[in-house]
Amino acid sequence: MRRVAVVLLAVAVLAPAAGAATTATRPVYDARGRLVQTPFASVAARARLSKERATAIFLRDDKVADWLDRYPSRDRVTDTTFDRERQDWKVAVWWASAGEIAVGRVDDGTGAVTEAWTGPQVAWKMARGSSGAFGGKQINSPVIWLALCLIFLLGLGNLRRPLSMRNLDLLVLLSFSVSPWLFNRSDVFTSVPLAYPPLVYLLGRMAWVAWRGGPNEARPVWPLWLLAAVTVFLVGFRVGLNVRGSNVIDVGYSGVIGADRIAHGRSPYGHMPIEDRLKACGPTSADGEIRERIQTNGRCESADERGDTYGPVAYEAYLPGFLALGWTGYWDKLPAAHATAIAFDLLAMLGMFLIGRRFGGARLAVMLPFGWAAYPFTQYVSSSNTNDAIMPAFLIFGFWLLTSSFARGAFLALAGWTKFAALLLVPLWAGYPEARRLPGKVAFTGGFLVATLTAFSILLLEANPAHAARVFWDRTFGWQVGRDSPFSIWGWGQYHAAGIPDLGWLQPVAIGMLVLGAVACYFLPRRKTPLQLAALTAALLIGFELTVTHWFYLYIPWFFPLAVFVVLAPRARRRAQPDLESDRQDRELVPAG
């Protein structure tokens, strides 16, 4: 009897626990309807949905179903796995040679599709749409963005003649804004094509001005003191927006890492923090990824494996900020990246002031820095804390000193070894003011070589500089040439099976025309004016952006400074004399005749 009593007692004690286990996801009430037990969700609880049920729910999602309808179902393969920690199902859909075409998650408790990514969004997280992913939420706020657009247009526009070419040019520069608005809503296949019409227009406009000249000098409607005061306000606003309302994307993070490597006696190339095969030293992300790893230098650092794809100047430019503010090893607030972005933003505005003062007097000296300060895409670069203001800053100062062949060559080299697109300008800038002047060509080549050797001196930090040079080539040009991307019309071949046009066959033709045009700019026009040099510089950079596979809105400030100079600069119409000294060329801004 005693054994029976023990067994009955054990059953009485364990029964509630067993009942709780079977009803772990339901509340328990007593006879009076009072809650006596709350639901208990264990991390190791078994899935409520079956694999087949979760897969069916995901495939019925409107967005997913619409995309999958583009692919024949007979060649589709679906992989569905249950994530015990997240208590949801990850569903991935593969199709023949196209690879993974859809991926997402289904909540196990509610059966709701919590994530659904298709097309470019599968492999490219930046295509998934987020108004704060680049630059933070403040610069992406419609109020701030549209306010900058309005200030830019009202400050520089010809309000007395609404249908003037100047207003059209300014509106086209602002029309790029439509594309990122759609990009932030993950509509890649609409946002990407919309960037091309303004690029094509500006290319044609710059070529026309270089050939035939443009309208008369652009005069502001407002007093110069008012434009200057607004510029000062905008400078403070931009710095405050960077410090308090911006983020640092991988481009700026790469610059800080590169500066760290140089400061510690190593080349950035081949020495970026990696993630694979190294001991973890940080938390697991929502995607199950651990980015913080113990690197070969013994330090815990956040991974950035492809951060060494830029020119050496893109890392050397971060050295002052790094030496002053340091780096923790993590992808945190990165004050060195903020300081560098702000510094080159201010340098660009200073250079615009100097260009304006030299080529147009006080009026242009006020209008040009105002244009940079009010243009939303320059603030987009600053708020993203990237290196995309460094190259145009060097080009601005090189243009300011264009009558010094040595300085022109040196600044062009610094720009080219920051962003390789500027190397297209070598024939054009070497042919200023005309291709037949040997002393000027020697000085230009000397300046270019001195700046190039200085920039690449970091390869001497390695024990084997020849090997370091090969690593540089593999990590930069070698990787960029074969790079794939959905952010241009040239990279859509991978979605051709889904009915997206494949224009990849046309890209080599466009690149060939661009290269021929760059070479021709050495000889034509035979005698170049500063206005022609500015217009052709902007045209070649726009041509590069039209042909590159990976394009983004951060590249617009590459050509903006000289493009807006062409729009606003005075047009003095007198014929050049053959014996005119080169230091007087800055007074003649338009081709004669």
Side-chain angles (χ1 to χ4, degrees), residues 7-29 36-40:
V7 171
L8 292 175
L9 180 61
V11 170
V13 172
L14 295 177
T22 58
T23 60
T25 58
R26 300 178 183 176
V28 179
Y29 301 90
V36 295
Q37 184 177 344
T38 57
F40 175 75

Side-chain angles (χ1 to χ4, degrees), residues 419-441:
K419 296 285 187 177
F420 302 128
L423 297 178
L424 270 175
L425 306 175
V426 171
L428 170 64
W429 283 40
Y432 177 85
E434 58 180 319
R436 294 179 297 179
R437 289 194 171 186
L438 182 60
K441 304 304 168 284

Side-chain angles (χ1 to χ4, degrees), residues 186-461:
S186 71
D187 192 353
V188 173
F189 291 122
T190 304
S191 64
V192 169
L194 286 177
Y196 285 84
L199 286 174
V200 172
Y201 170 88
L202 290 170
L203 175 62
R205 187 78 171 103
M206 295 299 108
W208 176 265
V209 170
W211 179 40
R212 297 294 297 173
N216 293 328
E217 179 178 4
R219 295 176 176 271
V221 175
W222 313 101
L224 293 184
W225 66 265
L226 180 59
L227 283 184
V230 174
T231 303
V232 172
F233 168 80
L234 288 174
V235 168
F237 177 77
R238 292 167 69 93
V239 173
L241 202 61
N242 182 292
V243 173
R244 302 187 63 86
S246 70
N247 62 6
V248 182
I249 67 171
D250 57 346
V251 179
Y253 181 47
S254 300
V256 175
I257 299 172
D260 170 85
R261 298 301 190 254
I262 296 171
H264 288 88
R266 304 190 78 176
S267 165
Y269 304 105
H271 297 301
M272 287 284 157
I274 62 175
E275 186 174 337
D276 295 337
R277 303 179 304 278
L278 295 178
K279 181 180 178 181
C281 57
T284 303
S285 68
D287 296 329
E289 184 181 24
I290 303 178
R291 296 189 60 86
E292 288 74 27
R293 304 278 177 166
I294 302 295
Q295 304 299 316
T296 54
N297 59 9
R299 189 181 186 190
C300 182
E301 296 177 346
S302 300
D304 186 26
E305 190 166 353
R306 294 302 329 181
D308 53 354
T309 188
Y310 308 106
V313 180
Y315 306 104
E316 294 159 347
Y318 283 81
L319 276 171
F322 169 79
L323 294 175
L325 301 171
W327 174 48
T328 63
Y330 295 93
W331 195 339
D332 49 22
K333 293 184 178 180
L334 296 168
H338 286 270
T340 303
I342 292 173
F344 277 93
D345 189 58
L346 296 177
L347 284 172
M349 280 185 274
L350 173 62
M352 295 291 275
F353 168 79
L354 295 174
I355 287 177
R357 183 174 178 83
R358 178 171 187 178
F359 297 110
R363 183 178 293 111
L364 198 60
V366 172
M367 295 177 73
L368 288 180
F370 171 86
W372 178 281
Y375 193 51
F377 284 98
T378 59
Q379 182 58 46
Y380 193 62
V381 166
S382 177
S383 290
S384 299
N385 290 283
T386 71
N387 56 21
D388 292 283
I390 300 176
M391 181 191 80
F394 285 132
L395 290 179
I396 289 169
F397 280 94
F399 185 76
W400 173 52
L401 299 172
L402 59 83
T403 52
S404 170
S405 297
F406 184 90
R408 191 171 71 251
F411 275 105
L412 180 58
L414 293 175
W417 299 124
T418 302
K419 296 285 187 177
F420 302 128
L423 297 178
L424 270 175
L425 306 175
V426 171
L428 170 64
W429 283 40
Y432 177 85
E434 58 180 319
R436 294 179 297 179
R437 289 194 171 186
L438 182 60
K441 304 304 168 284
V442 173
F444 175 87
T445 303
F448 191 91
L449 289 177
V450 168
T452 297
L453 293 174
T454 302
F456 280 93
S457 62
I458 61 174
L459 299 183
L460 299 176
L461 298 173

Side-chain angles (χ1 to χ4, degrees), residues 41-98:
S42 172
V43 172
R46 297 180 59 184
R48 297 180 61 188
L49 296 176
S50 66
K51 178 178 179 179
E52 292 74 16
R53 176 64 175 162
T55 303
I57 291 173
F58 179 74
L59 297 180
R60 284 201 308 268
D61 180 81
D62 291 341
K63 177 182 177 181
V64 176
D66 179 66
W67 181 254
L68 295 184
D69 283 344
R70 300 166 179 257
Y71 296 89
S73 58
R74 64 179 181 275
D75 296 323
R76 289 206 308 252
V77 177
T78 304
D79 180 26
T80 305
T81 57
F82 180 64
D83 189 327
R84 291 184 178 275
E85 184 174 352
R86 296 181 52 154
Q87 288 292 290
D88 67 2
W89 294 85
K90 181 180 179 181
V91 185
V93 183
W94 304 73
W95 187 85
S97 59

Side-chain angles (χ1 to χ4, degrees), residues 122-166:
V122 174
W124 293 82
K125 292 183 179 180
M126 62 184 286
R128 296 181 178 181
S130 173
S131 61
F134 292 86
K137 292 189 177 298
Q138 292 192 21
I139 185 56
N140 286 282
S141 164
V143 174
I144 293 179
W145 191 280
L146 293 176
L148 289 175
C149 289
L150 185 62
I151 293 171
F152 178 82
L153 184 60
L154 292 179
L156 300 179
N158 187 347
L159 304 184
R160 299 184 182 92
R161 296 180 56 201
L163 300 181
S164 66
M165 285 300 300
R166 190 212 313 183

